[in-house]
Amino acid sequence: NAGVTQTPKFRVLKTGQSMTLLCAQDMNHEYMYWYRQDPGMGLRLIHYSVGEGTTAKGEVPDGYNVSRLKKQNFLLGLESAAPSQTSVYFCASGQGVVNQPQHFGDGTRLSIL
Amino acid sequence: KNEVEQSPQNLTAQEGEFITINCSYSVGISALHWLQQHPGGGIVSLFMLSSGKKKHGRLIATINIQEKHSSLHITASHPRDSAVYICAVTGNQFYFGTGTSLTVIP
């Protein structure tokens, strides 16, 4: 079982470049999430999806876009990368919010110069 | 304002010691989660609990709903327990603590 797979694992971008992070889960989960983790701060929710074709904003959505065209995939896009978006990005999936654990990917370390 | 507060932020212990990590929260919750994050690695869910106590091997998690407090205990700590332990709560969304970095010295 692969669980939650994130690609790529590492990436360095220049300011203004664009890129897409891919998250894939094989557990048939309805809910998927994108978080960023920064030193001294807890995980912060960027965007989430409660099912195929749906997306919603989280706590820190500015500068990011997402798409959930297929149930198993959740894409996070940076249209014009900024140094403030340097972070470790985690994808997670779960059956729901209430009383359901989340399953996390291994993270993507993104540096923007 | 952080909805979830953990203490201590950093903890160093000798192998074999009994360890306690604390979590306090300020929102109404349906469940509380303890997560483990190894250096450079992903995040793994250890426990999910909404009342009482759960035990898995050398790890014990307790929660007091009235006091809005949870503890994670590690008995007979081992260097492989070195990791960041994160407390998270679910109400209408997930709220995460900033984590407790644990180092167990042989």
Side-chain angles (χ1 to χ4, degrees):
Chain A
N1 286 337
V4 178
T5 303
Q6 291 183 231
T7 53
K9 296 190 185 306
F10 304 95
R11 186 74 183 268
V12 178
L13 291 177
K14 293 182 180 178
T15 298
Q17 287 185 317
S18 64
M19 79 160 295
T20 300
L21 280 65
L22 171 64
C23 176
Q25 54 97 1
D26 61 2
M27 295 171 284
N28 202 36
H29 285 160
E30 291 293 336
Y31 286 61
M32 296 187 74
Y33 310 83
W34 275 108
Y35 296 96
R36 61 178 289 171
Q37 186 180 44
D38 300 294
M41 305 183 76
L43 288 160
R44 291 184 293 168
L45 182 64
I46 303 171
H47 285 278
Y48 66 99
S49 168
V50 300
E52 181 179 317
T54 74
T55 63
K57 293 180 180 180
E59 180 185 356
V60 288
D62 294 342
Y64 306 94
N65 57 76
V66 289
S67 64
R68 184 103 180 264
L69 298 179
K70 294 183 178 181
K71 186 177 184 178
Q72 64 267 35
N73 295 335
F74 195 29
L75 278 63
L76 177 70
L78 286 72
E79 290 187 345
S80 180
S84 60
Q85 294 177 304
T86 294
S87 187
V88 181
Y89 292 85
F90 284 95
C91 175
S93 71
Q95 285 292 17
V97 175
V98 178
N99 292 351
Q100 294 292 331
Q102 292 191 354
H103 301 260
F104 287 84
D106 289 338
T108 295
R109 188 171 297 274
L110 182 61
S111 294
I112 299 162
L113 307 177
Chain B
K1 179 182 180 295
N2 293 331
E3 289 81 1
V4 180
E5 299 279 359
Q6 288 184 237
S7 63
Q9 286 188 328
N10 298 285
L11 181 57
T12 300
Q14 291 287 335
E15 183 174 356
E17 285 186 5
F18 180 85
I19 290 165
T20 296
I21 299 170
N22 296 299
C23 174
S24 296
Y25 54 92
S26 59
V27 295
I29 69 167
S30 302
L32 183 141
H33 306 254
W34 282 102
L35 311 172
Q36 181 190 57
Q37 183 176 24
H38 280 282
I43 298 169
V44 176
S45 178
L46 296 175
F47 293 103
M48 181 181 69
L49 64 165
S50 54
S51 65
K53 174 180 169 179
K54 285 191 175 181
K55 184 175 187 290
H56 184 241
R58 295 179 294 104
L59 274 61
I60 303 167
T62 64
I63 187 169
N64 185 317
I65 296 294
Q66 286 73 30
E67 295 187 2
K68 295 189 174 180
H69 181 268
S70 174
S71 293
L72 176 68
H73 305 287
I74 304 175
T75 62
S77 59
H78 189 277
R80 64 175 175 266
D81 296 326
S82 298
V84 175
Y85 293 84
I86 301 169
C87 174
V89 299
T90 52
N92 58 346
Q93 67 177 74
F94 272 86
Y95 298 95
F96 294 86
T98 54
T100 294
S101 179
L102 171 65
T103 301
V104 181
I105 301 171

